[in-house]
Amino acid sequence: MIKYHFRKAEPSEISPIWEILQQAIIRRKKDGSNQWQDGYPNPEVVQKDIEKGEGFVLVEGETIIGYSAVLINDEPAYEKIEGNWLTNDDFVVLHRVAIAEKYLGKGLAKMILRHIEDFAVSNLIYSIKADTNFDNIAMIKIFESSGYTYCGEVYFRGSPRKAYEKVLARQN
């Protein structure tokens, strides 16, 4: 059985992470999406994620095969939602979910989301908030099939984004 592990990224891993993000940027463009076509994300964003302890990698053995930024209560754009969040308590935010090209189609983005849910619950946080471009059909399907609820629109760098939230069960 293949063993996957989700952990904080190290500064020495910026290069392979950036390679995965570049593959995702190209995929977004091929899919006709405008998401990530404006110079964001970039290696400096990944470096900041890691420096702040917010960059996480999915690894198979020693190979980095996925990336996501995971933040707690830190998304100012979410304060101005056009719509309504399901909760107003502490929340985890996920950004920049990307899977390496040769690992696509194995459900690994959903696996990252499950690991982020475990991270949230381990920090006694029971809400995950996220957003994606209106034209990122793959991510919208992942959110919807993973139990996320569409809550409205938020704006990043002047562009509207679909905002989602998943409320997690509290463990007693």
Side-chain angles (χ1 to χ4, degrees):
M1 173 146 166
I2 298 172
K3 284 290 278 177
Y4 297 104
H5 185 62
F6 190 68
R7 61 166 173 77
K8 283 193 177 184
E10 302 290 332
S12 62
E13 297 170 328
I14 292 171
S15 182
I17 291 167
W18 175 234
E19 197 172 307
I20 290 169
L21 283 166
Q22 283 178 302
Q23 293 169 359
I25 289 166
I26 292 166
R27 277 198 305 279
R28 293 279 64 76
K29 186 172 185 145
K30 279 185 190 162
D31 291 346
S33 174
N34 289 321
Q35 188 166 359
W36 293 357
Q37 303 303 310
D38 61 356
Y40 168 94
N42 55 54
E44 292 74 33
V45 170
V46 175
Q47 184 175 345
K48 281 191 184 116
D49 287 346
I50 294 171
E51 286 171 357
K52 290 159 72 179
E54 298 170 344
F56 283 77
V57 289
L58 182 67
V59 292
E60 178 187 81
E62 298 297 312
T63 306
I64 295 172
I65 60 172
Y67 180 75
S68 180
V70 182
L71 300 71
I72 297 177
N73 292 330
D74 188 18
E75 188 43 78
Y78 287 4
E79 293 170 18
K80 299 185 183 88
I81 187 169
E82 292 179 2
N84 291 296
W85 293 113
L86 303 175
T87 67
N88 294 312
D89 296 329
D90 288 339
F91 60 94
V92 167
V93 180
L94 60 104
H95 285 310
R96 298 181 278 292
V97 175
I99 301 296
E101 194 77 33
K102 68 180 185 180
Y103 289 88
L104 293 175
K106 299 181 181 204
L108 297 177
K110 281 186 178 183
M111 181 185 287
I112 286 178
L113 267 55
R114 286 193 302 274
H115 281 294
I116 293 170
E117 290 174 21
D118 293 342
F119 170 85
V121 171
S122 73
N123 284 281
L124 303 178
I125 297 172
Y126 302 97
S127 164
I128 299 179
K129 295 179 181 178
D131 66 89
T132 193
N133 263 40
F134 280 82
D135 59 10
N136 189 340
I137 304 306
M139 200 67 208
I140 290 168
K141 285 181 179 172
I142 289 168
F143 285 146
E144 290 175 352
S145 66
S146 297
Y148 284 71
T149 300
Y150 173 70
C151 294
E153 290 181 23
V154 293
Y155 287 82
F156 280 95
R157 298 186 314 280
S159 297
R161 315 272 298 223
K162 289 184 90 152
Y164 290 87
E165 182 176 6
K166 182 172 184 177
V167 179
L168 306 173
R170 293 178 183 264
Q171 267 91 33
N172 294 330

